[in-house]
């Protein structure tokens, strides 16, 4: 059941798609506490959700802030990342099980047992928001109910489930060709190569540098002939350049966010000084979204939207102030305090709260200050693109994922988890984040495999791949200046890497079916163990294993130099210790704790009793995958079973046709 409580007059977010009649209150379960809401947690209550955040699957014991942040250091002490996902669930057994969704575009703060271990408290930055309280018979049921409220999750084209290779630093067409060669010559499957900002002319959106990419359309075609798509980045800021027709048109039409005085707001990002389109206005979304057409016309079928928190390196005004303040030090005898002041001055430039409070949007004819709706910005940039794709490529799927997001954006695209680091702890964080983002509807998601910042190591690249083969978005991406980490760069592990990537492709009939099932039924592709084993107290504590679809459990190794790990089985399952799709050990394991060997070239996979997993022969790209000849992996201790497999062309949007489903039957071995 969903109850809605309205406070004040909220700025519309367009997140909710199913109207719910407001209740008068009082709000059950929660207590008003000054400017916030309070809930007393029992010691065994578990809190799930909040989407893309830090720390564990169970959110207890820390505080979190929903305010989309461009922060490339995802360490435990942080409180915000790129997403603002205001949905959480308290799981305390039958009478104490509920979900909360705060429908609001500005800042929301959560204290989940941080100030006091037993107290959950959250505050909303202003008294204008809708609060939804969701109850249900089980955690998965109430999560599904929430998802019905906010609408069906985005489904990408099937090729987007293939491997993508990316790096900030591929500078020209030759670099891109070299990557493709590296993959193909080493017989590593690949479906996409990503273009980062270097393909643009002076980092201006919707331009292509003609020296470095003389014929983008020809390159797209050349790659596609090898089963590989090219996926360019689009940044939020529009380069301030009177000679650029897109920039000019936006100015002439008054499509940019404005300062107090009505003049266009300027912030500096990669293109230097830039304007920020007011994506909250439908006509601006339409205009911006239609700019993607130049790239679509060149044969591009997918995009990633970056810097849309929006990230702002500095505003010219603040930079001038800082330079003045620094100038005032000149000629003075400086002391330690000056040093700290100086440090703070330059540190205060990027993503400054005062800057976010210095520009305006227009929502339904009213001026709204940016910080009040900050979390809707990236969401509406992605929506702009998706709405335009519906017009420009009707009936066709386009790959689209974003860095910043807010619930609502899950209908228009996926997300990647931003600038992680090549640290083992970030592989663990990747696992922790998956169920949270899935609960918020972002089914198509994944982290930069191998790690974005810092230098990866061959073993981390491989272990991370061994988890990445299960994430819907499977993309290796790295920051400029870091060690090369394309999968062909690690000769000592090349065979293992090839086997793992091929395993992903072999598993695609299952992974794709489970993804589509989750999208069409408002379910979750990845789930914490306790979602399916609610009566098992141990399952509630498992933070390093996930259920994947209806029949699998994954338990990646995330510790350097480990040659195995403990795994908890809530019931007896079949274990597969896979070196490849063809080479594996298998055995039935009883419920309980097990220490299982798992060498660097192996991955552990568990099939739940009564389940079947269709497996194809590996292929070099998704287009070549043969789903006509399948091997059925199974764990059928109690007799035959069937599996509903989803197959379609992977390109068009007629997801709901019943003929896409095939029923596979299997007998016990
Ligand atoms: O300020 O485009 O998260 O994936 O490689 C950094 C360069 C801007 C941040 C993205 C990252 C991308 C990078 N971008």
């Amino acid at each position: 059941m969903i109850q809605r409580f309205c406070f004040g007059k909220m700025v519309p977010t367009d997140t909710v798609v199913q109207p719910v009649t407001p209740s008068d209150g009082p709000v059950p379960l929660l207590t008003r506490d000054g400017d916030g809401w309070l809930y007393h947690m029992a010691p065994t209550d578990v809190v799930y959700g909040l989407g893309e955040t830090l720390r564990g699957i169970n959110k207890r014991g820390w505080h979190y802030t929903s305010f989309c942040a461009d922060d490339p250091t995802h360490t435990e002490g942080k409180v915000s990342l790129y997403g603002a996902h205001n949905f959480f669930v308290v799981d305390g057994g039958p009478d104490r099980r509920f979900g909360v969704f705060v429908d609001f575009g500005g800042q929301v703060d959560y204290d989940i047992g941080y100030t006091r271990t037993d107290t959950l408290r959250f505050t909303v930055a202003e008294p204008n928001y809708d609060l939804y309280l969701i109850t249900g018979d089980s955690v998965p049921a109430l999560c599904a109910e929430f998802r019905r409220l906010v609408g069906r999750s985005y489904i990408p084209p099937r090729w987007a489930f293939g491997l993508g290779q990316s790096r900030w630093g591929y500078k020209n067409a030759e670099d891109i060709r070299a990557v493709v060669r590296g993959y193909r010559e080493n017989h590593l499957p690949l479906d996409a190569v990503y273009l980062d900002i270097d393909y643009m002319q002076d980092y201006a959106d919707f331009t292509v540098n003609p020296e470095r990419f003389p014929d983008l359309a020809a390159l797209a075609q050349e790659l596609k002939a090898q089963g590989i798509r090219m996926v360019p980045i689009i940044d939020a800021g529009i380069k301030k350049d009177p000679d650029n027709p897109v920039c000019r048109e936006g100015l002439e039409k008054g499509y940019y966010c404005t300062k107090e005085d009505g003049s266009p707001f300027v912030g500096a990002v990669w293109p230097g000084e830039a304007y920020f389109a007011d994506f909250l206005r439908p006509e601006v979304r339409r205009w911006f979204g239609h700019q993607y057409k130049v790239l679509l016309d060149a044969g591009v079928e997918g995009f990633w939207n970056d810097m849309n928190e929006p990230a702002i390196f500095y505003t010219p005004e603040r930079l001038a102030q800082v330079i003045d303040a620094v100038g005032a030090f000149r000629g003075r005898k400086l002391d330690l305090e000056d040093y700290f002041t100086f440090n703070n001055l330059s540190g205060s430039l990027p993503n400054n709260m005062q800057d976010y409070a210095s520009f305006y949007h227009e929502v339904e004819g009213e001026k709204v200050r940016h910080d009040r709706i900050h979390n809707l910005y990236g969401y509406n940039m992605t929506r702009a693109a998706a709405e335009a794709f519906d017009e420009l490529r009707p009936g066709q799927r386009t790959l689209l994922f974003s860095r910043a997001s807010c619930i609502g954006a899950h209908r228009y695209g996926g997300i990647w988890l931003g600038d992680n680091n090549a640290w083992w702890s970030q592989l663990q964080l990747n696992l922790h984040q998956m169920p949270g983002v899935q609960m918020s509807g972002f089914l198509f998601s994944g982290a930069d495999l191998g790690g974005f910042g810092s230098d990866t190591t061959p073993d981390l690249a491989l272990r991370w791949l061994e988890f990445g083969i299960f994430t819907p978005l499977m993309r290796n991406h790295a920051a400029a200046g870091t060690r090369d980490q394309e999968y062909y760069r690690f000769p000592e592990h090349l065979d293992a890497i090839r086997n793992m990537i091929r395993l992903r492709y072999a598993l695609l009939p299952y992974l794709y079916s489970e993804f589509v099932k989750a999208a069409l039924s408002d379910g979750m592709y990845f789930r914490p163990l306790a979602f399916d084993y609610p009566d098992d107290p141990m399952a509630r504590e498992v933070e390093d294993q996930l259920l994947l679809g209806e029949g699998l459990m994954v338990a990646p190794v995330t510790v350097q130099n480990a040659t195995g790990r403990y795994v908890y089985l809530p019931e007896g399952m079949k274990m597969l210790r896979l070196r490849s799709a063809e080479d594996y050990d298998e055995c039935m394991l009883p419920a309980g704790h097990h220490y299982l060997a798992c060498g660097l070239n192996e991955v552990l996979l568990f099939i739940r009793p009564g389940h079947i997993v269709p497996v194809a022969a590996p292929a070099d790209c998704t287009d070549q995958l043969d789903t006509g000849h399948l091997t059925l992996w199974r764990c059928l201790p109690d007799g035959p079973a069937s599996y509903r497999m989803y197959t379609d062309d992977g390109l068009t949007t007629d997801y709901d046709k019943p003929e896409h489903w095939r029923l596979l039957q299997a007998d016990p071995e």
Side-chain angles (χ1 to χ4, degrees):
M1 186 178 67
I2 303 193
Q3 287 165 282
R4 171 185 177 200
F5 304 92
C6 302
F7 303 96
K9 186 175 179 296
M10 83 168 202
V11 180
T13 64
D14 293 352
T15 291
V16 166
V17 297
Q18 295 281 353
V20 177
T21 314
S23 307
D24 293 331
V27 179
L29 295 151
L30 304 176
T31 318
R32 259 274 195 218
D33 175 50
D35 61 346
W37 294 93
L38 197 91
Y39 181 74
H40 283 287
M41 296 184 287
T44 53
D45 287 357
V46 177
V47 180
Y48 296 107
L50 294 183
E52 187 183 13
T53 42
L54 294 144
R55 302 238 169 182
I57 293 174
N58 183 350
K59 305 319 292 183
R60 275 187 86 149
W62 190 239
H63 60 116
Y64 310 88
T65 295
S66 281
F67 196 82
C68 298
D70 163 29
D71 184 338
T73 315
H74 306 171
T75 39
E76 270 183 56
K78 299 293 174 67
V79 297
S80 301
L81 289 173
Y82 314 86
H85 304 149
N86 295 310
F87 174 57
F88 66 89
V89 169
V90 177
D91 179 14
D95 307 324
R96 302 170 54 83
R97 184 195 296 130
F98 61 96
V100 170
F101 170 55
V102 184
D103 192 7
F104 180 64
Q107 182 167 335
V108 186
D109 290 287
Y110 301 88
D111 176 334
I112 312 216
Y114 165 70
T115 304
R116 274 188 63 99
T117 313
D118 63 357
T119 306
L120 183 158
R121 188 172 186 276
F122 63 93
T123 50
V124 187
E126 57 177 90
N128 303 302
Y129 58 93
D130 281 5
L131 184 70
Y132 291 84
L133 202 104
I134 305 144
T135 48
D137 290 339
S138 68
V139 174
L142 74 86
C143 288
E145 180 126 21
F146 167 67
R147 296 267 300 288
R148 281 192 287 281
L149 179 73
V150 295
R152 180 181 283 180
S153 293
Y154 164 77
I155 301 176
R158 193 179 69 149
W159 60 264
F161 291 84
L163 173 64
Q165 177 61 54
S166 185
R167 162 174 281 275
W168 178 9
Y170 297 154
K171 287 226 163 350
N172 52 39
E174 248 336 288
D175 284 353
I176 301 299
R177 290 192 181 101
V179 170
V180 170
R181 266 199 311 276
Y183 272 87
R184 288 295 178 247
E185 282 172 4
N186 289 290
H187 305 287
L188 301 170
L190 186 71
D191 263 80
V193 181
Y194 285 75
L195 300 184
D196 206 318
I197 46 176
D198 302 292
Y199 81 87
M200 299 180 199
Q201 175 74 53
D202 304 321
Y203 302 137
D205 278 342
F206 313 117
T207 66
V208 178
N209 182 303
E211 277 98 55
R212 292 189 270 116
F213 289 89
D215 192 342
L216 198 74
L219 183 63
Q221 218 175 25
E222 176 189 324
L223 262 50
K224 195 153 173 196
Q226 301 175 67
I228 293 167
R229 264 83 166 180
M230 213 162 56
V231 184
I233 194 171
I234 301 291
D235 275 7
I238 296 174
K239 185 178 175 59
K240 185 177 163 189
D241 174 4
D243 295 331
N244 177 308
V246 177
C247 172
R248 243 191 354 250
E249 189 182 357
L251 260 188
E252 281 159 15
K253 298 204 161 133
Y255 282 168
Y256 300 137
C257 294
T258 52
K259 294 194 278 200
E260 180 89 73
D261 65 6
S263 64
F265 168 79
V266 173
V269 232
W270 289 109
E273 291 191 358
Y275 297 122
F276 292 84
D278 186 358
F279 297 122
L280 275 71
R281 291 161 58 188
E283 68 277 20
V284 178
R285 281 203 296 278
R286 186 157 192 282
W287 166 75
F288 189 86
H290 275 74
Q291 305 306 325
Y292 287 71
K293 187 168 184 299
V294 271
L295 293 158
L296 295 174
D297 288 346
V300 167
E301 296 164 65
F303 298 89
W304 47 310
N305 282 347
D306 190 20
M307 304 295 276
N308 49 5
E309 293 70 31
I312 297 175
F313 295 162
Y314 64 85
T315 54
E317 294 86 349
R318 183 168 306 282
L319 183 61
Q321 283 167 18
V322 165
I323 300 292
D324 281 351
V326 171
F329 288 128
R330 197 185 292 279
R332 276 187 31 208
K333 185 174 176 321
L334 302 179
D335 58 17
L336 192 65
E337 205 175 310
D338 296 314
Y339 162 76
F340 285 119
T341 310
F342 168 78
N343 252 354
N344 288 342
L345 278 169
S346 58
S348 71
L349 283 171
N351 308 323
N352 184 295
M353 260 305 197
Q354 286 168 11
D355 290 336
Y356 287 137
S358 75
F359 65 97
Y360 294 82
H361 298 262
E362 192 191 297
V363 182
E364 295 176 352
E366 272 175 54
K367 240 170 114 174
V368 177
R369 209 172 73 183
H370 174 79
D371 56 337
R372 297 184 56 204
I373 54 85
H374 176 73
N375 294 335
L376 305 180
Y377 197 75
Y379 159 18
N380 280 286
M381 178 190 180
T382 297
R383 183 180 177 189
E387 286 171 344
F389 298 157
D390 279 347
E391 280 185 54
L392 297 168
R393 314 181 71 220
Q396 300 291 309
R397 295 183 225 175
T398 309
L399 171 61
L400 179 61
F401 59 90
S402 173
R403 194 171 72 174
S405 65
C406 170
I407 303 177
H410 71 286
R411 299 194 298 271
Y412 302 104
I415 53 174
W416 92 99
L417 300 169
D419 300 347
N420 60 10
N421 270 280
W423 305 333
W424 293 82
S425 58
Q426 304 270 284
L427 162 55
Q428 235 170 70
L429 179 66
N430 183 185
L431 183 153
H432 288 162
Q433 288 175 322
M434 294 316 289
V437 300
Q438 300 259 318
M439 275 172 74
S440 295
F442 294 95
L443 297 182
F444 191 72
S445 52
D448 289 351
L449 302 180
F452 175 76
S454 310
D455 291 328
T456 201
T457 57
D459 55 342
L460 178 58
L462 177 49
R463 284 299 197 199
W464 210 324
L465 173 65
E466 287 166 2
F467 178 59
I469 58 173
F470 299 113
T471 61
L473 168 64
M474 181 197 190
R475 182 181 74 143
N476 177 335
H477 180 49
T482 58
R483 176 181 185 169
D484 289 331
Q485 64 178 43
E486 290 80 12
Y487 285 122
Y488 51 83
R489 304 278 189 181
F490 307 102
E492 58 185 316
H493 295 320
L494 197 61
D495 289 337
I497 285 173
R498 182 183 307 111
N499 287 338
M500 288 303 152
I501 304 173
R502 286 166 65 86
L503 176 59
R504 156 67 162 224
Y505 282 70
L507 284 169
L508 270 180
Y510 175 82
L511 302 179
Y512 183 61
S513 296
E514 293 306 310
F515 182 93
V516 175
K517 276 177 205 172
L520 300 186
S521 67
D522 299 313
M524 285 165 63
Y525 169 99
F526 277 127
R527 297 176 307 285
L529 267 54
F531 276 40
D532 290 32
Y533 301 97
D535 302 324
D536 180 342
M538 185 54 68
R540 294 159 71 84
E541 293 198 18
V542 175
E543 289 269 339
D544 56 359
Q545 304 169 203
L546 292 174
L547 300 170
L548 192 184
E550 60 185 43
L552 290 180
M553 182 175 79
V554 296
V557 174
T558 61
V559 175
Q560 188 159 30
N561 301 317
T563 55
R565 53 161 291 169
Y566 283 97
V567 176
Y568 176 68
L569 301 191
E571 65 181 323
M573 294 184 191
K574 180 186 276 186
M575 180 209 71
L576 303 181
R577 181 186 292 114
L578 298 141
R579 286 165 292 280
S580 75
E582 301 88 10
D583 175 19
Y584 52 89
D585 319 318
E586 61 170 73
C587 68
M588 280 301 297
L589 290 176
H593 293 277
H594 301 273
Y595 184 83
L596 300 172
C598 182
L600 192 50
N601 61 338
E602 295 175 324
V603 67
L604 296 171
L605 191 60
F606 301 85
I607 309 180
R608 298 168 66 179
H611 288 279
I612 297 169
V613 178
V615 180
D620 279 343
C621 58
T622 52
D623 287 347
Q624 286 171 16
L625 204 69
D626 175 8
T627 53
H629 298 90
L630 299 166
T631 307
L632 301 183
W633 291 352
R634 65 200 80 183
C635 172
L636 301 175
D638 303 317
S642 58
Y643 180 76
R644 282 176 65 231
M645 184 172 86
Y646 187 83
T647 43
D648 62 4
D649 63 4
L651 294 170
T652 53
T653 54
D654 53 0
Y655 313 108
D656 296 292
K657 278 197 182 151
E659 57 265 37
H660 293 329
W661 295 99
R662 265 166 62 188
L663 201 65
L664 307 174
Q665 318 262 6
D667 292 321
E669 287 159 300

